Amino acid sequence: MSKTITIDPITRLEGHGKITIILDDKGDVERAFFQIPELRGFEAFCVGRPAEDMPQITSRICGVCPSAHHMAGTKALDSLFKVEPTPTAKTIRELFYNLFMFEDHTIHFYYLGGPDFIVGPDAPAGKRNILGVIEKVGVDVAKQVITIRKRCRDIMAEIGGKTIHPVLGLPGGVAKRVSVETRDTIKTFAADAIEFAKFTLQAFDDIVLKNKDYVDLILSDTYYHQTYYMGMVDENNKVNFYDGKIRIVDPEGNPIELFAPDEYADIFAEHVEDWSYIKFPYLRKIGWKGFIDGVNSGLVRVAPLARLNAADGMATPFAQQEYERMYATVGGKPCHNTLAYHWARLIEILYAAERIKELVDSEELSSPDTRNMNLLTPKEGIGIVEAPRGTLIHHYESDERGVLTGVNLMVATLFNSAPICMSVEKAAKKLIKGGNVNDGLLNMVEMAFRAYDPCFSCATHSIMGEMPLNISFQDRYGKKLGSMKRDSYGKETASWK
Amino acid sequence: MAKPKVAFYWCASCGGCGETVVDLADKILDVVAAVDIILWPIAMDFKYKDIRAMEDGSIAVSFINGAVRTEEQKEIAELLRKKSGLVVAFGSCSSLGGIPALANLTSKKKIFERSYLKSPTVVNPEGVVPKTKSKVDGYELALPEFYESVYKLNDVIDVDYYLPGCPPTPDLIVNAVNAILEGKLPPKGAILSPDKSLCNSCDRNESKPEDVAISEIKRVIDVEIDPEKCFLAQGIICMGPATRDGCGASCINGNMPCTGCFGPTDSCKDQGAKMIGTLGAILEGDEEETIDKALDGLVDPAGTFYRYGLSASMLGSARKEEEDE
């Protein structure tokens, strides 16, 4: 008899999440559904709001990556009011944005995704958390992590008013200039941030890459999907988080698209299923083919590994070295190994730190010329940034006063939603054969989506440790067959009827 | 002695209320040492059974953030209420509806239309929209019901205290936790942030003229913002006079006006009405024509005066009554 396995909630993503795995009559995995059981409806309730309020309103889509929405919204305002930000404004924005990427990626490695490697995927479940990380790397390192993050966020608050839901963005500029004192603070921080990023990569090297089991796990078929990849690139086709064109490569690594923000709707379409509140984007010219990978599938992955796959390299020297080293290790580009997202994320931390240093050294930073006030009559605007979790698109339409008449948002979670479903399905297939489920499934399933850094509050999990899971087995008519659960301390129990 | 049990839960929220807990930085270790955290937002659905198995009132305090948008969130809030000695509404969404409650200016139907049918990227010729029960290849999948309106926490359960802000600051969180641990609790229903308006602690208060008088309301996109001067004196709407203190004037430090996320003070129940009153007092002229002109810059009154408070507003109530009929 067929069974349905429900994992509810899955966590560490922006919003609630739920996974349902369908087993066939033999007890092998037939389908997996990644459901988002929540919707807040920003696209509808932002209509009628003044456009300039959007950077602050849309930051409330996600309190973990508010700066991403804030900046995509701000860039959409530039486009809406047809205004070019001043060089100083661009510098401040990109600097602020890289500070954000630095702290956001850092927390993922030490608090969320990293513990699986630092402590170990097969370590006792209760140890696979920040406390286990502290045990492994030492209290001094933990303090370093807390301190560098706090310094970073304090600078962000100085520039943007708040770190959670910043206020700096205005069409054509930013609200506040960067003082000479702040500039000096950032200079000191940037040097330390680069060292911290190198230290983190070294830790990854020592703990993960020197352990053959981990390398095998990263390279295993369990976490492997051939998809298209997307990321923003600068004029040299190097990774950039704040500005540039969007590049897509096919599963062979061949560039197939290089488009400006206002072309996004020609490139992408979204598919709707009645069993999830989330939509499923795909390449319009290929069409919706379902939850499959390969060149004939229109699914495109985003976020760190996708960005590195889609670009020709990193624009800063140390990050470029690490980029080359990663691809030499994983066997060339593009890399389809989902767990390599973790590695790519660390390379991006180093890039962000190096980029902060470049920007803080630029002449414009502390100039009072923070705004271009020459706004034109608004009509339509599109802004794109690379959020930590992937390409983020804000699209606004307005009346001539700038009151919004239409809003379309395509966020990173959307782009990865179908691939996450596939990743979970594949991990489950490797684990569940003939209806046998073992406790290892829990962490393996978690690791399948954790690599993408699904966006949710970091703190909660850092304290509680292991993610609680509840898996219930039922037949296709909803009759309960049994259940298995793991509490927040990693204790697992099963019961069968 | 057993440490007090503390639960965290999140409803319709952005995760910022969790992130602000991380911003406690090293102070979080003190919190963890003092309490036994038995539930975090991420754990909620799983802990149904565990929470149900607990004795009523055995959780010392539950901090609940987010607005109530789905049936599932309401049910869990009710469960936590039963099991907890104290419930604290954590943040703007839980206290007042927050940004998600802007959806009360539209409808479920329009939200679904915009998301699934009329977006420029959606290709949906068959008009598929998410359903609470669906069948895929013969397999049943379920989604929680999406309510018509967004509710604040005390619309669905009794709430003991409120921590305001989008999000609440780490300092306010530490103060609240300490007050609970030390048993130094204010009267039930208290909002755990200073009961005075933001203007009282705003650095720009000194540049606020005795009698602010403005002839027109200006939008931030239309003016160069003076980094020293009171926003209202510049003609820019700043919600400071109608908003509770406690945030450290962070947006104003970013050279942008207050948008009101801390909600009203005790003496005023409707934040928007208070702000409209304030504006009425400072707008020059009494001819209809001059007032209309002055208000040209106010393009979204509801979204401006009730940015975070629609579920608690007179407007919000009116809407819900209409639906009940």
Side-chain angles (χ1 to χ4, degrees):
Chain A
M1 182 195 283
S2 302
K3 282 181 188 172
T4 302
I5 302 174
T6 306
I7 304 178
D8 185 12
I10 67 128
T11 58
R12 302 194 222 168
L13 69 159
E14 195 277 296
H16 300 241
K18 175 178 171 184
I19 291 169
T20 302
I21 303 167
I22 309 290
L23 305 185
D24 64 17
D25 290 347
K26 291 179 199 158
D28 294 339
V29 175
E30 193 171 276
R31 281 289 298 272
F33 298 95
F34 172 70
Q35 285 176 280
I36 296 295
E38 197 193 33
L39 170 74
R40 281 173 294 158
F42 275 78
E43 285 150 321
F45 72 65
C46 287
V47 168
R49 313 276 82 78
E52 67 269 27
D53 289 353
M54 288 300 278
Q56 288 190 41
I57 290 177
T58 58
S59 82
R60 270 74 180 191
I61 290 170
C62 176
V64 180
C65 52
S67 300
H69 287 284
H70 186 79
M71 207 56 83
T74 302
K75 288 183 70 188
L77 292 184
D78 294 341
S79 160
L80 182 74
F81 290 100
K82 307 173 187 75
V83 59
E84 184 71 15
T86 65
T88 296
K90 280 187 188 173
T91 308
I92 294 173
R93 286 183 190 177
E94 192 180 349
L95 175 65
F96 180 85
Y97 202 71
N98 277 279
L99 288 162
F100 158 65
M101 293 294 281
F102 176 86
E103 60 92 3
D104 193 292
H105 273 3
T106 298
I107 207 159
H108 185 266
F109 181 67
Y110 286 99
Y111 286 70
L112 298 180
D116 285 328
F117 292 99
I118 301 173
V119 189
D122 52 358
K127 299 256 181 194
R128 289 192 305 253
N129 56 48
I130 181 64
L131 301 177
V133 169
I134 292 173
E135 209 172 281
K136 182 100 178 186
V137 300
V139 176
D140 289 348
V141 173
K143 280 186 182 161
Q144 251 191 63
V145 175
I146 289 173
T147 305
I148 198 92
R149 183 175 186 277
K150 187 169 188 323
R151 284 172 67 194
C152 188
R153 285 172 76 85
D154 285 350
I155 295 168
M156 289 171 70
E158 179 56 33
I159 298 172
K162 297 163 77 180
T163 43
I164 303 172
H165 309 317
V167 301
L168 73 156
L170 286 166
V174 294
K176 185 182 175 183
R177 64 180 290 194
V178 170
S179 70
V180 175
E181 296 78 45
T182 303
R183 180 186 172 141
D184 291 344
T185 307
I186 303 169
K187 272 189 184 170
T188 315
F189 170 80
D192 294 345
I194 291 172
E195 290 313 306
F196 179 82
K198 286 181 179 171
F199 164 82
T200 302
L201 274 155
Q202 186 61 49
F204 187 79
D205 223 36
D206 293 342
I207 296 165
V208 180
L209 300 178
K210 287 179 183 160
N211 182 331
K212 186 176 178 300
D213 291 346
Y214 288 177
V215 175
D216 288 348
L217 190 70
I218 291 171
L219 299 179
S220 77
D221 188 50
T222 306
Y223 303 103
Y224 183 91
H225 276 292
Q226 295 191 353
T227 62
Y228 289 80
Y229 297 97
M230 171 164 70
M232 186 178 274
V233 292
D234 65 15
E235 61 277 7
N236 301 313
N237 290 323
K238 302 290 176 70
V239 170
N240 193 289
F241 300 142
Y242 168 73
D243 205 12
K245 286 192 169 178
I246 311 301
R247 197 185 204 205
I248 300 175
V249 298
D250 69 15
E252 301 289 317
N254 307 306
I256 59 151
E257 298 284 357
L258 184 67
F259 63 94
D262 56 7
E263 297 168 64
Y264 89 96
D266 298 330
I267 308 291
F268 282 104
E270 294 173 288
H271 173 76
V272 180
E273 293 277 349
D274 62 5
W275 47 266
S276 185
Y277 285 120
I278 205 167
K279 295 179 279 188
F280 302 95
Y282 57 92
L283 288 168
R284 208 180 268 275
K285 68 181 177 190
I286 293 180
W288 174 253
K289 306 288 181 181
F291 297 85
I292 56 164
D293 67 354
V295 73
N296 295 321
S297 159
L299 299 181
V300 180
R301 285 201 278 185
V302 298
L305 182 65
R307 281 192 283 262
L308 269 52
N309 277 339
D312 289 346
M314 309 303 289
T316 57
F318 294 128
Q320 175 63 23
Q321 283 175 22
E322 293 295 329
Y323 179 94
E324 288 166 14
R325 196 164 66 92
M326 183 185 88
Y327 282 109
T329 309
V330 298
K333 268 179 76 185
C335 172
H336 301 297
N337 305 91
T338 306
L339 292 182
Y341 268 90
H342 293 288
W343 195 351
R345 195 169 287 116
L346 300 188
I347 296 168
E348 289 193 340
I349 293 178
L350 181 54
Y351 164 72
E354 289 185 278
R355 187 69 183 139
I356 291 165
K357 184 173 186 303
E358 285 178 0
L359 291 163
V360 78
D361 285 339
S362 75
E363 284 299 312
E364 296 92 17
L365 182 67
S366 287
S367 145
D369 187 22
T370 58
R371 280 177 78 183
N372 179 351
M373 300 290 293
N374 189 22
L375 310 189
L376 301 179
T377 306
K379 190 175 176 210
E380 187 170 10
I382 295 164
I384 302 187
V385 294
E386 283 294 329
R389 295 149 191 94
T391 311
L392 168 64
I393 304 168
H394 280 213
H395 178 187
Y396 310 150
E397 293 167 277
S398 79
D399 66 16
E400 60 189 20
R401 295 175 304 160
V403 175
L404 295 177
T405 54
V407 174
N408 195 36
L409 308 166
M410 288 186 77
V411 305
T413 305
L414 278 186
F415 287 108
N416 278 336
S417 63
I420 285 173
C421 191
M422 285 153 43
S423 294
V424 165
E425 177 178 55
K426 196 161 187 181
K429 274 182 175 173
K430 294 282 171 183
L431 279 151
I432 303 171
K433 294 279 186 191
N436 294 318
V437 183
N438 65 57
D439 292 348
L441 164 71
L442 301 177
N443 197 46
M444 297 299 270
V445 168
E446 281 179 84
M447 286 174 68
F449 61 75
R450 189 174 293 145
Y452 294 91
D453 183 15
C455 179
F456 184 61
S457 167
C458 311
T460 50
H461 204 268
S462 73
I463 302 305
M464 274 318 269
E466 199 47 46
M467 184 179 81
L469 285 178
N470 185 17
I471 300 189
S472 69
F473 298 84
Q474 57 190 48
D475 64 22
R476 67 164 75 196
Y477 309 105
K479 189 185 167 214
K480 274 212 139 184
L481 301 172
S483 67
M484 187 160 80
K485 65 181 181 180
R486 184 179 64 215
D487 68 18
S488 306
Y489 302 97
K491 191 182 167 209
E492 290 159 352
T493 48
S495 65
W496 300 94
K497 293 193 174 167
Chain B
M1 200 178 84
K3 292 194 281 186
K5 292 183 172 66
V6 173
F8 285 88
Y9 177 60
W10 58 298
C11 296
S13 73
C14 69
C17 283
E19 189 83 356
T20 194
V21 177
V22 184
D23 283 342
L24 289 169
D26 44 346
K27 286 184 204 149
I28 200 166
L29 300 174
D30 301 337
V31 174
V32 172
V35 303
D36 187 11
I37 300 166
I38 54 109
L39 181 74
W40 279 84
I42 60 164
M44 197 55 236
D45 292 346
F46 168 59
K47 291 289 190 179
Y48 273 166
K49 284 179 198 160
D50 295 344
I51 297 293
R52 286 205 177 96
M54 293 175 82
E55 279 180 37
D56 287 1
S58 61
I59 300 171
V61 53
S62 286
F63 292 96
I64 303 180
N65 75 68
V68 179
R69 174 86 265 190
T70 68
E71 194 174 7
E72 180 185 272
Q73 290 157 355
K74 176 171 177 273
E75 284 170 9
I76 297 166
E78 286 168 350
L79 178 65
L80 279 175
R81 174 69 272 182
K82 204 170 134 195
K83 301 297 178 185
S84 306
L86 296 173
V87 167
V88 178
F90 190 104
S92 307
C93 298
S94 184
S95 299
L96 306 166
I99 292 278
L102 286 172
N104 285 355
L105 294 172
T106 178
S107 66
K108 178 178 173 180
K109 183 165 174 277
K110 282 185 183 156
I111 287 171
F112 272 51
E113 266 178 15
R114 181 70 64 167
S115 289
Y116 304 116
L117 302 170
K118 292 185 175 169
S119 141
T121 34
V122 160
V123 176
N124 189 3
E126 289 168 16
V128 173
V129 295
K131 296 186 292 198
T132 51
K133 289 208 183 307
S134 54
K135 266 197 172 183
V136 184
D137 303 336
Y139 300 99
E140 284 190 359
L141 295 173
L143 290 172
E145 190 196 340
F146 185 88
Y147 282 149
E148 271 294 340
S149 291
V150 177
Y151 302 99
K152 59 188 178 357
L153 189 61
N154 71 7
D155 288 333
V156 298
I157 61 168
D158 188 37
V159 171
D160 297 288
Y161 298 106
Y162 300 83
L163 257 174
C166 184
T169 64
D171 284 349
L172 288 180
I173 297 166
V174 168
N175 290 347
V177 170
N178 286 340
I180 291 165
L181 289 177
E182 292 163 15
K184 293 178 181 167
L185 287 161
K188 184 176 166 171
I191 298 168
L192 306 177
S193 191
D195 183 28
K196 51 187 175 125
S197 81
L198 178 62
C199 297
N200 284 284
S201 64
C202 177
D203 285 345
R204 301 190 189 199
N205 211 9
E206 285 174 21
S207 69
K208 186 177 167 187
E210 194 85 351
D211 294 305
V212 179
I214 55 172
S215 55
E216 60 173 325
I217 291 170
K218 294 171 183 161
R219 292 164 68 179
V220 287
I221 52 171
D222 293 330
V223 288
E224 291 199 36
I225 305 167
D226 185 325
E228 309 286 336
K229 195 173 170 186
C230 168
F231 282 98
L232 284 169
Q234 298 183 56
I236 298 164
I237 291 188
C238 175
M239 290 290 287
T243 301
R244 183 178 291 264
D245 197 9
C247 62
S250 52
C251 294
I252 288 161
N253 293 340
N255 198 29
M256 287 288 275
C258 170
T259 55
C261 77
F262 267 61
T265 55
D266 287 349
S267 63
C268 127
K269 288 300 163 206
D270 192 282
Q271 190 179 16
K274 163 83 176 167
M275 192 63 209
I276 291 164
T278 302
L279 280 178
I282 65 174
L283 271 178
E284 284 178 332
D286 25 317
E287 302 293 323
E288 203 174 316
E289 205 176 308
T290 39
I291 291 172
D292 280 351
K293 194 168 181 305
L295 291 175
D296 269 355
L298 181 63
V299 295
D300 177 24
T304 303
F305 300 135
Y306 298 99
R307 174 77 61 85
Y308 307 89
L310 266 173
S311 290
S313 72
M314 294 188 286
L315 297 181
S317 301
R319 184 184 156 73
K320 278 177 230 160
E321 279 163 22
E322 192 180 293
E323 281 166 5
D324 288 343
E325 281 164 11

